[in-house]
Amino acid sequence: MQTALQITVRGMEHSDALDQHIREKVEKLDRLYPKLMGCRVVAELKDRHKQQGKHFSVRVDLTAPGKEIVVNRKHAEDVYVALRDAFDAAKRQLEDYASIQRGDVKSHNNEPPAA
């Protein structure tokens, strides 16, 4: 990755375990798509409700040449589940983008057919 990984944690205690978990997820994406230019991850504990419990929100912003991938995921009980879901979605989008760049996916011309 060309720029440093940015990790932001809001509304909860920043832990080394959470930091390491995020770094491992980003390393996997970097191995999948070595041209990855940057990554920002925001893990946030949203409003705390006595009856509904904790609500975690995770945002992953990936920067690739010619593409910005943004994924938002929420989970009611566990920040690690929200992270897993967010990085799984980011991985799928990155794989799709990589296959388009390789030419595996046919691109459609938006030009009307010649008459």
Side-chain angles (χ1 to χ4, degrees):
M1 195 169 355
Q2 294 177 1
T3 60
L5 167 65
Q6 296 177 344
I7 299 174
T8 304
V9 177
R10 296 184 188 137
M12 62 182 152
E13 196 70 29
H14 187 84
S15 71
D16 290 337
L18 181 63
D19 191 64
Q20 184 61 31
H21 186 74
I22 292 170
R23 289 183 187 284
E24 289 171 2
K25 295 284 190 182
V26 172
E27 285 175 15
K28 287 181 183 180
L29 291 180
D30 200 29
R31 285 194 302 269
L32 171 74
Y33 190 81
K35 296 177 187 176
L36 200 58
M37 297 166 54
C39 180
R40 290 181 305 276
V41 179
V42 178
E44 184 173 15
L45 176 59
K46 291 290 197 175
D47 304 324
R48 298 181 191 189
H49 297 286
K50 290 182 180 179
Q51 295 172 348
Q52 295 178 346
K54 299 176 182 179
H55 293 278
F56 294 98
S57 173
V58 172
R59 178 183 169 113
V60 178
D61 296 335
L62 299 174
T63 306
K67 181 80 170 174
E68 179 87 17
I69 297 172
V70 179
V71 176
N72 291 300
R73 289 294 182 268
K74 296 179 181 175
H75 194 269
E77 294 296 325
D78 193 353
V79 69
Y80 289 98
V81 174
L83 280 167
R84 180 199 64 203
D85 293 347
F87 275 99
D88 285 349
K91 178 184 173 202
R92 284 190 300 274
Q93 290 184 34
L94 202 55
E95 287 172 337
D96 290 347
Y97 182 63
S99 65
I100 289 169
Q101 282 191 316
R102 285 191 307 268
D104 294 346
V105 177
K106 183 179 177 182
S107 63
H108 296 280
N109 266 342
N110 290 335
E111 298 175 17

